[in-house]
Every structure is written in C-alpha cells, then in structure tokens.
Amino acid sequence: MVYYDAAETLSRVEIERLQLERLRASLKQAAKSPFYAKHFAACDFDPASVATLADVRRIPFTTKQHLRDSYPDAMLAMPLSEMVRMHASSGTTGTPTVIYHTQNDLDWWASLMARCMYMAGLRRTDVFQNMSGYGLFTGGLGIHYGAERLGCLTIPAGAGNSHRQIKLLTDFKVTGIHIIPSYALYLSAVFAELGIDPKSLSLRIALVGAEPYTEETRRRLEEIYGIKAYNSYGLSEMNGPGVAFECQEQHGMHVWEDAYLAEIVDPATGEPVPDGELGELVMTTLGREGMPVVRYRTRDMTRFLTEPCPCGRVHRRIDRLHGRCDDMLIVKGVNIFPMQIERVLMAMPEVGQDYLIVLERDGYIDNIRVKVEIRDEYFVEDMRQLGALQKRIAARLRDELLVTPKVELVERNSLPKTEGKATRVLDMRGNGA
Amino acid sequence: MVYYDAAETLSRVEIERLQLERLRASLKQAAKSPFYAKHFAACDFDPASVATLADVRRIPFTTKQHLRDSYPDAMLAMPLSEMVRMHASSGTTGTPTVIYHTQNDLDWWASLMARCMYMAGLRRTDVFQNMSGYGLFTGGLGIHYGAERLGCLTIPAGAGNSHRQIKLLTDFKVTGIHIIPSYALYLSAVFAELGIDPKSLSLRIALVGAEPYTEETRRRLEEIYGIKAYNSYGLSEMNGPGVAFECQEQHGMHVWEDAYLAEIVDPATGEPVPDGELGELVMTTLGREGMPVVRYRTRDMTRFLTEPCPCGRVHRRIDRLHGRCDDMLIVKGVNIFPMQIERVLMAMPEVGQDYLIVLERDGYIDNIRVKVEIRDEYFVEDMRQLGALQKRIAARLRDELLVTPKVELVERNSLPKTEGKATRVLDMRGNGA
C-alpha cells in the first residue's frame, strides 16, 4: 500500500493522542475570537478543562445560525490582515456564512485534498479536469489547489459549457475529473447526442461530490464512463472538499482524523448515538489557525462504519450521506429521505437519469408524486406495458417508503434540466407544510 | 521608494545582461519542443547563434496560427507530466490556443503578479476582490495567485452577480479590486440604482485591464469610485495578467524586462519601428520552462515611452494599448481605431457610460454610425438642444477621425448591456467589407 502522507499510517492510539493535543490547541485558539470567547463563557465552558477526548461532549455546539450571527468576521481567531482567502455561501437563504483562511490554512487544506486524490488513485502524471464552478464556492479552488499540489496537469474547466467540457476531455486525454453526480448524468446525455461513447475516453477516475447521491447512481456512472467513481465529502465550514474521501475499497469515506474531529449525534438531543447508528455529523477543525470551528452541526446524516478497512488506514469511515436533517420530508406522518427514492429508482433498468419528487396537498392530505424519466427503449406505445411498469415502480417505492406515491412516467428530456445541482424535490404544499 | 522585488531596481545594463542570458537559455529550451525544433530549422535559424540582444531580429516570429497549429501540445519543451496547469482560449474563432505551466512557471507568474500589485500600492493588509471570471481564462486565477502571494485577503468573487459584488465590497471593506473597465461602468449604474455612492466605500485601488479603454474612461472611473485606477496588460500567451503594469505615476506600463523581452515592430513588415513610434508589440518569455514562446506577434498596438520614469524603475514602459491590429476599422479608406472614438466621447460631460459603433453600407459607400448614451440630465425634451449636442459630438469625432460619422443620441440603458467584455463595434457591412 502506498500513502501520500505519513498521517495516513497512524495507529488508533496515535490518532487519538494527536486529536486530543490538537483539540486542546484549537479550543485555545478559538477562544481568541470574539464569538467563541462569548459563546464559551455563556455556556460556562472552560476550554482548558478538556483533559480527554471524552470531554468533547461538554463543549458547546456551533450552528449555522452562529456563523450567520458572526457575520462578517466575529469568528476570526487572528487579525484580519493575516487572512489570505475568504469563501462565502451564496446567502440566498439569509445572511451568508463566511470562512477565512491564512496561508498556513490553505497549505494544510491543499495537502489534505492532495492526500484524498492520491488515495483514490490519482498521481502527478494524471491529467485532471475540474468541472466545479470556481469563485466563492469552495469546490472549485479547493479541488484545484489539491490537484496542483499533487502535481497533476490541472485543467480549470469550471462548470457548464458541456460541449467544451467534452472537447477538453477528449483532446487532452483527461484521466481524472471532479464532477457533481447530476451533471455527470446530464453530460452523458450530451455525449449520446454527439455520438461519442464516454468509455472511449482516457478517463479512469471521477471524484464525485457536492450533492448526495446513491450507490445505484455511482454504479451507473461507472458503467456509462467506464471508470471508478469515488465519493467525496466536504463542507465550506470545514474548508470545503477534502474532509472525507473514499479509498479504493469504495466503501465509506475516511475522515482525516488528524485534521478533523468527527462525532455523530442524535439530531434531536445532541447526544452521541452508538457507533454504527445513523445520526447527524458534528465536526471540529483540528489545526485551522485563522478561524477554528468547534463542534459544528453539519445537518448531514450519516453513520460510522465500524469494521476495519482493508486499505489499512484506521481513520474512521463515514457512510455515504443519507441526506440532510433538513431534507427529511414528512408525508402522511412518515419520515422520507429523497435518497431512499433515488435508490429505488436507479436500481431499475427501465428508469432513465432523471426524476422529480413533487409534494402536493389534496385538501388536508399530503401526497407524494414521483415523476420518473423512462429510457427510450422502454417508452413504448403499448399503454398496458407502461401501466404495468408504473405499478411496479409504485410498489417498490411503497416497500421502501411505507407510503404509496403516485408515479408518473415521463419521456427522456421532459423534466427540467440543470447544469448545476439538480432540483429533486418540489414542495407544492404551501407555507402550511 | 519601496519595491517588492530586487529585480525592480536593476540598471539598464544589468537588465540587458540578464535578458541576453535568459533569451539564450529560453531559445535553447524552446528548441526542445517539436514545434520550435521544426520552426527554427525551417527558418534556417540556429538558436546558438544569438550572441547579442541585437540578434533578436534574426529570430523567427511566432503567430497565433502557429499556436493553433501546435494544438494540443507541440510547443511543450518538457514532458506533459511536468505540467501542473493549462489555460486555453475559448476557441470560438477556431482551434483553441493552449498554454501550459510547470510549478516553477506558476510560482514565477504569481510573483510577477504580486510585484505589479505592490507597485500599484497594494499591501498584504489590503482586502482584494477579484471580479474576473475564473477557470480557463487567465484573468481569474492569474490575479488570484498574485493577490494571495502578496498576502492580501483575497475574495474570489468571480464575474457577474452585481448585487453580490456590491454586498461584498461594502461588508468586507474591500480596498482593492480587479475589474474590467466596461463592467466597472456597468456596476456604477447598479450602485446608482441602489442609491449607494461608490465613493462611500473603503475602496482605494482598482486594477483595470483585459480590454482596451481610454484615459478619459479611467478618469471617469476614478471620479465615480473615488479611487486610483491602474492599467494592467497581459495576454495568455505570456501567462496572462502581470506582463506590464502601471506604477503610481499612472503614465505607461512597465514591462517586467527580466521576465519578458518586448519589441515593437511595424505590423506590415515585421521590422522594428523607431523608439516612441506606434507599432505591434512582440513578446518573448524569458524563463518560462514548460512552454517558452518566442517573438510572439501580439497584434496589440502600442509604443515605447522613452523618457525615464520618475518612479525610478528602468523597466521600459509601453503606452496604453491603441487597440489591436485586427481592430482597426477602414471606413471610406481611412484607418480608425475604436479607441479614438471612445476618447472623444468620454471627454464630453454630456455623454453617459455606453456607446456603440455601427458600420453600415449604403450602396457602395461605407458609413459609420455612433450611438451615444446621453446622461439623464442632458436628455431634455427640447429637440433643438439635442440637435445641437448631436452636431457638437459629430464635429469632434470628425476632427479626430477625419471622416464624419452619423451620431445618434440614445437614452440611458437603451444600448444592450453586458456583464462581460462590452461589444463596442457592430459591423453590418456583410462579408464584402
């Protein structure tokens, strides 16, 4: 086994010793910021009181709202003049959240990202096309700096412009890409229109992230492109991409525990859930100097995988994301994650690349309607056959969801397409929902 | 005087000694590429025969077409696996041109860019908002790496989304920006709509480049924003931004002669023009290892400024660009550069921020029509006053151009707006032009 960084070979004991040491330093650093000085005091928490990793449960949480309240810079633990980069959320749903980085922070982030890419099998000899939007969004520059650090020939393609993406992929014999899953599916349709088989490219490896997607979609992408697709997890509050990544086992994402402290808690109570159970991921930066963030409630639902990983790395793995706490739909009193619906649909060969979940209210009753794109070869004239397919999809969804959705079959390309993150849920129930 | 880099304080003799040494090394390096090996041989040119800087005239030119013919990588002087970045033109007018960089090349480029920014008065304590599009276009990442290298807090805002740009400028007390001139004018209109005076911001310095613009437009921007605006010159073939930049004298742009060899030639004959005369800028990379480009015909028209610069730097200055050889319009047998028209218009207080040059054919006769946006306060009901203004503009344009254009006055916001580079010339004369 080859590793990029000696940190990957640490034992459990070494990781935990390092984590405790870095957690204590991080808390001390955080306390220098106006926000944490006040927050820790208000919660009667003394950073110096943390003596073991078990003490982490006594540290107060940080929420998205705290980040918003700290706008623009109350979480800075060092002078603004020491910062060299800023990333911000779009703020479309309120005040933006802003994360600052010093040069050391950027170096650390780039090396974590390079470590992820190396683990997925990329090397300095690879040609890597980054299809993320650049700018304030962390996916672009985050992946870019990692790819350059690793020494790949990095093509900063940015988002959109599918014909150009395909020209670059072809002409420069690109071997690795970073792409969001819905765009990868969309792009496969453009390849089909151009009459190019994506398997004829030099592509070996795709890094896939930025939106939740299912194992079934991954297998589809791997088949369409003739590649290995590796899941990536990151969030701007923890820098961006490079937080957790799949190794070549493709079974769960290793969290870099020398850089982040990960916990999984019950989203309702904030108490830790037993290892292996589903809960909300809570993350702490270990080593970010400019703007440490402590016990951040990510709202992302996942679980720790408990078995040792055959790759030899002991950094703990999290399961693929099950969506966000906030994504959970409640229909007829039943909790539903959109990912459950995607999992069912993508396992059926008749189903195309796209679907849309519509929540409706019929009088006092909530209904769930799923519009499902059907592959051309199954979109036959015979209404009886289509009717049978519709019933089969509805039955499988009912088995998974425990409520019966209305299923509507639609032709290819009839659902609204997007080059960015796909819209998968349309809630038509109005404000009362 | 404070300098960022010791290279800024070199004497003329030292610069020329360094240039000769680096030119010889560059030619040797270039000759390792398939393109130059062939090109030099075809032109009967022996790179080792260059003994003095005067010998540069014997070196064959490189044109845009050569770059296109070398697509995708025939100009590489080192193995592809040593490259870590690629930039490409959009290729909308044919095969894209592609430039590759090694890690050393990127470091060198970032330090040249940081040197430019420092010369314009930016320091590591500045907050810098980069309003260039990122990705394959060099303006985004080029400026970004320079700003980070200098240690500014760098906000990778990217292009467009004016309301967000203004929110960032305001909330983060931005002191420096990179912006293209037509967008700076457009943004001033958005400020006006929002009822915010741009002079109320913390802004001190704008780096302005990527499209030709006049001194009159610069003074307008300086007045509107209450800033100093510094001209920037670069082109992707010579890395991108960071090739030549104004010092605080704001009079001509210093070419970094330790990094680039600049010549000015007659675009028709390729022979050097006397110092101070207008001609086509020809550039050679001195020190780029991955992909040296030798005697590149930029198509950009400028002249050397011959007086010593009071700033103390002896790196030669080029005048603001007079447009591109290809931009020159021929109307009724007279050569016209669009910049001449802008210069006249922007010097008149009645004229707003926008204009459009339309070339028309009336039978066998070419006409030039200039649509001119008039400021609200001058756009009066009285037709006689408007008629007089129209005549005054036409007369001034005739004095400058030696042909009489038709002048059409239009209201604010009635010309098509763009957030990217402005379209200033519309040629309606058909293919026969």
Side-chain angles (χ1 to χ4, degrees):
Chain A
M1 193 63 66
V2 231
Y3 301 99
Y4 181 78
D5 192 309
E8 293 171 72
T9 65
L10 293 174
S11 69
R12 191 78 235 149
V13 171
E14 287 166 325
I15 283 178
E16 293 187 354
R17 194 169 51 210
L18 196 60
Q19 284 194 312
L20 179 60
E21 179 192 314
R22 291 187 173 168
L23 175 64
R24 288 166 53 94
S26 262
L27 291 170
K28 197 174 155 193
Q29 179 73 356
K32 294 181 189 163
S33 74
F35 168 77
Y36 278 113
K38 212 167 132 187
H39 189 50
F40 288 161
C43 298
D44 231 353
F45 169 71
D46 175 9
S49 72
V50 169
T52 71
L53 277 183
D55 289 335
V56 75
R57 292 173 60 175
R58 290 193 295 103
I59 308 175
F61 290 116
T62 304
T63 65
K64 187 89 164 175
Q65 191 55 46
H66 289 135
L67 275 168
R68 291 199 180 116
D69 295 345
S70 306
Y71 185 85
D73 58 11
M75 269 195 205
L76 282 190
M78 290 168 71
L80 192 73
S81 58
E82 297 302 315
M83 304 300 139
V84 297
R85 175 89 65 79
M86 190 203 95
H87 283 283
S89 69
S90 64
T92 42
T93 55
T95 308
T97 54
V98 185
I99 307 291
Y100 297 85
H101 306 267
T102 65
Q103 187 58 55
N104 284 336
D105 292 337
L106 290 185
D107 285 343
W108 181 219
W109 179 14
S111 77
L112 288 170
M113 193 61 237
R115 198 200 285 185
C116 292
M117 295 172 78
Y118 191 93
M119 178 165 66
L122 290 163
R123 295 293 179 271
R124 63 184 297 281
T125 46
D126 276 290
V127 180
F128 184 80
Q129 185 165 328
N130 185 12
M131 302 193 197
S132 283
Y134 280 65
L136 289 167
F137 168 62
T138 55
L141 288 169
I143 296 275
H144 179 92
Y145 275 62
E148 277 187 9
R149 175 65 58 96
L150 184 55
C152 296
L153 169 54
T154 307
I155 305 180
N161 201 338
S162 303
H163 285 196
R164 182 147 103 161
Q165 300 282 9
I166 290 174
K167 185 170 171 57
L168 292 166
L169 286 170
T170 311
D171 292 359
F172 295 94
K173 301 185 177 59
V174 170
T175 53
I177 58 174
H178 176 231
I179 193 164
I180 65 175
S182 54
Y183 185 59
L185 289 172
Y186 172 86
L187 200 64
S188 73
V190 183
F191 268 111
E193 274 165 32
L194 295 173
I196 303 174
D197 179 359
K199 278 195 282 289
S200 69
L201 305 176
S202 308
L203 209 54
R204 297 191 297 118
I205 290 172
L207 315 182
V208 178
E211 51 178 22
Y213 80 129
T214 59
E215 188 59 29
E216 287 70 22
T217 301
R218 185 229 298 261
R219 293 304 163 203
R220 272 198 185 201
L221 290 178
E222 293 195 330
E223 197 190 310
I224 292 169
Y225 288 91
I227 54 167
K228 288 281 178 189
Y230 293 94
N231 292 337
S232 155
Y233 175 72
L235 65 168
S236 64
E237 294 83 353
M238 298 289 123
N239 296 334
V243 173
F245 221 86
E246 279 187 335
C247 64
Q248 295 188 30
E249 299 295 321
Q250 294 187 302
H251 182 52
M253 297 177 282
H254 292 280
V255 177
W256 297 125
E257 292 190 275
D258 54 321
Y260 302 99
L261 183 69
E263 307 164 71
I264 292 179
V265 305
D266 181 320
T269 65
E271 290 303 311
V273 299
D275 263 11
E277 283 191 18
L278 197 66
E280 180 185 350
L281 184 64
V282 170
M283 300 284 286
T284 300
T285 59
L286 300 177
R288 192 161 72 190
E289 61 179 20
M291 182 174 165
V293 172
V294 175
R295 291 200 97 201
Y296 181 66
R297 300 287 298 251
T298 67
R299 312 304 287 158
D300 287 321
M301 299 292 287
T302 185
R303 72 180 91 237
F304 282 126
L305 301 182
T306 48
E307 327 81 79
C309 185
C311 81
R313 294 175 186 86
V314 300
H315 295 257
R316 278 197 293 184
R317 283 170 301 156
I318 52 173
D319 198 4
R320 65 166 55 247
L321 297 211
H322 289 244
R324 299 173 62 80
C325 317
D326 323 288
D327 286 345
M328 196 179 71
L329 310 170
I330 305 183
V331 180
K332 295 178 181 169
V334 176
N335 299 348
I336 297 177
F337 284 101
M339 280 301 100
Q340 294 178 278
I341 295 175
E342 176 166 323
R343 193 157 57 226
V344 169
L345 295 179
M346 292 299 141
M348 300 184 71
E350 299 91 345
V351 173
Q353 314 298 29
D354 215 357
Y355 66 93
L356 182 68
I357 301 165
V358 186
L359 302 177
E360 302 162 320
R361 178 162 295 158
D362 182 8
Y364 294 100
I365 300 179
D366 287 351
N367 278 315
I368 183 164
R369 178 188 298 272
V370 184
K371 298 186 179 201
V372 182
E373 191 180 276
I374 298 302
R375 283 179 200 265
D376 288 352
E377 57 268 42
Y378 293 99
F379 211 92
V380 291
E381 293 289 311
D382 186 336
M383 290 307 287
R384 275 173 309 178
Q385 281 187 38
L386 280 180
L389 174 57
Q390 196 172 20
K391 276 186 194 149
R392 208 159 66 245
I393 295 174
R396 293 216 186 158
L397 286 170
R398 188 195 51 228
D399 290 348
E400 169 75 31
L401 308 176
L402 309 177
V403 293
T404 307
K406 294 183 183 168
V407 170
E408 197 178 312
L409 306 187
V410 303
E411 276 184 281
R412 191 163 62 88
N413 288 333
S414 59
L415 292 173
K417 291 281 179 191
T418 165
E419 292 200 347
K421 291 193 188 189
T423 304
R424 298 300 199 190
V425 180
L426 205 62
D427 194 336
M428 313 281 283
R429 291 177 298 179
N431 295 328
Chain B
M1 194 63 64
V2 226
Y3 301 100
Y4 181 77
D5 193 309
E8 292 170 73
T9 64
L10 294 175
S11 69
R12 191 77 235 149
V13 172
E14 287 167 325
I15 284 177
E16 291 185 357
R17 193 168 51 208
L18 196 59
Q19 283 194 314
L20 179 60
E21 179 191 315
R22 290 188 175 168
L23 175 64
R24 290 167 52 92
S26 260
L27 291 170
K28 197 174 154 195
Q29 179 72 357
K32 295 182 190 163
S33 74
F35 168 77
Y36 279 112
K38 213 167 130 185
H39 188 49
F40 288 161
C43 299
D44 232 352
F45 169 71
D46 174 10
S49 71
V50 170
T52 72
L53 277 183
D55 290 333
V56 74
R57 291 173 61 176
R58 292 193 295 101
I59 308 174
F61 290 117
T62 305
T63 65
K64 187 88 164 176
Q65 191 57 45
H66 288 136
L67 275 168
R68 290 199 181 117
D69 294 345
S70 306
Y71 184 87
D73 58 12
M75 270 196 204
L76 281 190
M78 290 168 70
L80 191 73
S81 59
E82 296 302 314
M83 304 300 140
V84 297
R85 176 90 64 80
M86 190 204 94
H87 283 283
S89 69
S90 63
T92 41
T93 55
T95 309
T97 54
V98 185
I99 307 291
Y100 297 85
H101 306 266
T102 65
Q103 187 58 54
N104 284 336
D105 293 336
L106 291 185
D107 285 343
W108 181 218
W109 179 15
S111 77
L112 289 169
M113 193 60 238
R115 198 200 283 185
C116 293
M117 295 173 76
Y118 191 94
M119 178 166 67
L122 290 164
R123 295 294 179 270
R124 62 183 298 281
T125 47
D126 275 291
V127 180
F128 184 81
Q129 185 165 330
N130 186 11
M131 301 192 198
S132 283
Y134 281 65
L136 289 167
F137 168 62
T138 54
L141 288 169
I143 296 275
H144 179 93
Y145 274 62
E148 277 186 9
R149 175 66 58 98
L150 185 55
C152 296
L153 169 55
T154 308
I155 305 180
N161 200 337
S162 302
H163 285 194
R164 183 148 100 159
Q165 300 282 9
I166 290 175
K167 185 171 171 58
L168 292 166
L169 286 170
T170 311
D171 293 358
F172 294 94
K173 301 185 175 58
V174 170
T175 53
I177 57 175
H178 176 232
I179 192 164
I180 64 176
S182 54
Y183 185 60
L185 289 172
Y186 172 86
L187 200 64
S188 73
V190 182
F191 269 111
E193 274 165 31
L194 294 173
I196 303 173
D197 180 359
K199 278 195 280 292
S200 69
L201 304 178
S202 309
L203 210 52
R204 298 190 297 118
I205 291 172
L207 316 182
V208 176
E211 52 178 20
Y213 80 129
T214 60
E215 187 60 27
E216 287 70 21
T217 300
R218 184 229 297 263
R219 293 304 163 204
R220 270 198 186 199
L221 290 179
E222 293 194 331
E223 198 191 307
I224 292 170
Y225 288 92
I227 53 167
K228 288 280 179 192
Y230 293 94
N231 292 337
S232 156
Y233 175 71
L235 64 166
S236 64
E237 293 82 354
M238 298 290 125
N239 295 334
V243 173
F245 221 87
E246 280 188 335
C247 65
Q248 294 187 32
E249 300 295 321
Q250 293 186 304
H251 182 52
M253 297 177 282
H254 292 281
V255 177
W256 297 127
E257 294 189 274
D258 54 322
Y260 302 98
L261 183 69
E263 305 164 73
I264 291 179
V265 304
D266 181 321
T269 65
E271 288 304 310
V273 299
D275 263 11
E277 282 191 20
L278 196 66
E280 179 185 350
L281 185 64
V282 170
M283 301 284 286
T284 300
T285 58
L286 300 177
R288 195 162 69 188
E289 60 179 19
M291 183 176 163
V293 173
V294 175
R295 292 200 95 200
Y296 181 67
R297 300 285 299 250
T298 68
R299 313 302 290 156
D300 287 319
M301 298 292 287
T302 185
R303 71 180 92 237
F304 282 126
L305 301 181
T306 48
E307 328 82 78
C309 185
C311 81
R313 293 174 187 85
V314 300
H315 294 257
R316 279 198 292 183
R317 282 170 302 157
I318 52 172
D319 197 4
R320 65 167 53 250
L321 296 211
H322 289 244
R324 297 172 64 80
C325 318
D326 324 286
D327 287 345
M328 196 178 71
L329 311 170
I330 306 184
V331 179
K332 295 176 180 169
V334 176
N335 298 347
I336 297 176
F337 283 102
M339 280 300 98
Q340 294 177 278
I341 296 176
E342 176 167 322
R343 193 158 57 227
V344 169
L345 295 179
M346 291 299 142
M348 299 185 70
E350 299 90 343
V351 173
Q353 315 299 27
D354 215 356
Y355 66 93
L356 182 68
I357 302 164
V358 185
L359 303 177
E360 300 163 321
R361 177 161 295 158
D362 183 7
Y364 294 100
I365 301 179
D366 287 351
N367 278 315
I368 183 163
R369 178 189 296 275
V370 184
K371 298 187 178 198
V372 182
E373 191 180 276
I374 298 302
R375 281 178 200 266
D376 288 351
E377 56 269 40
Y378 295 98
F379 212 95
V380 291
E381 293 290 312
D382 186 335
M383 289 307 287
R384 277 173 309 180
Q385 282 187 38
L386 281 181
L389 174 59
Q390 197 170 17
K391 276 185 195 151
R392 209 160 65 243
I393 295 174
R396 296 217 184 158
L397 286 171
R398 189 194 51 230
D399 290 349
E400 169 75 30
L401 308 178
L402 310 178
V403 294
T404 307
K406 294 184 184 168
V407 170
E408 195 179 310
L409 307 187
V410 303
E411 277 184 280
R412 189 163 65 87
N413 287 334
S414 60
L415 292 173
K417 292 283 180 190
T418 164
E419 293 200 346
K421 292 192 187 187
T423 304
R424 299 299 199 191
V425 181
L426 205 62
D427 194 337
M428 314 281 284
R429 294 176 296 180
N431 293 329

